[in-house]
Amino acid sequence: QLQFVESGGGLVQPGGSLRLSCAGTGFTLDYYAIGWFRQAPGKEREGISCIISVSGSTNYADSVKGRFTISRDNAKNTVYLQMNSLKAEDTAVYYCAATLDYGGSCRLISAPYGYWGQGTQVTVSS
């Protein structure tokens, strides 16, 4: 059964950093594109970054470009999201998701992603 275990969320002050992890269980991430999404209260889910595991090709939303970095460790079957220079507006539940539906680049929309983690809360507050 394909599942994710997400971890790394928590409370951090503005300007701080967190690293989220998304570990796959029951399948190998090698041939999937993995996306990170977030949803703040009262807002729509937002795609913020994705990576194609086999190629390392990445994509970022403008809202996080230059602050967040996505990476993968195929040996550990895990994708990471390093988040630096965090802002209050980054507060949300963060989800990782997987899809086999991608071409030369992965997409930051929810529809292609059929497998989702349970989410991890990130709160940026002083």
Side-chain angles (χ1 to χ4, degrees):
Q1 185 177 358
L2 193 156
Q3 290 184 324
F4 291 108
V5 177
E6 295 164 343
S7 61
L11 173 65
V12 63
Q13 293 186 343
S17 298
L18 284 174
R19 188 177 80 159
L20 305 183
S21 299
C22 173
T25 63
F27 74 109
T28 176
L29 296 178
D30 290 0
Y31 301 105
Y32 287 79
I34 306 300
W36 281 100
F37 295 79
R38 66 185 182 187
Q39 190 165 19
K43 294 188 176 181
E44 293 188 355
R45 185 174 296 177
E46 175 190 16
I48 56 173
S49 187
C50 60
I51 186 168
I52 298 175
S53 296
V54 67
S55 68
S57 173
T58 59
N59 197 5
Y60 294 93
D62 288 342
S63 58
V64 305
K65 199 172 293 183
R67 300 188 298 124
F68 292 9
T69 303
I70 192 170
S71 62
R72 92 282 195 210
D73 185 335
N74 287 351
K76 294 183 177 180
N77 215 36
T78 299
V79 171
Y80 302 98
L81 185 69
Q82 178 66 44
M83 306 187 296
N84 298 329
S85 302
L86 283 162
K87 307 174 182 179
E89 51 262 43
D90 294 318
T91 296
V93 178
Y94 284 69
Y95 301 88
C96 62
T99 181
L100 289 169
D101 180 12
Y102 60 89
S105 61
C106 52
R107 290 174 284 175
L108 298 177
I109 56 174
S110 300
Y113 293 84
Y115 308 98
W116 291 80
Q118 80 284 358
T120 185
Q121 176 70 47
V122 171
T123 303
V124 184
S125 174
S126 55

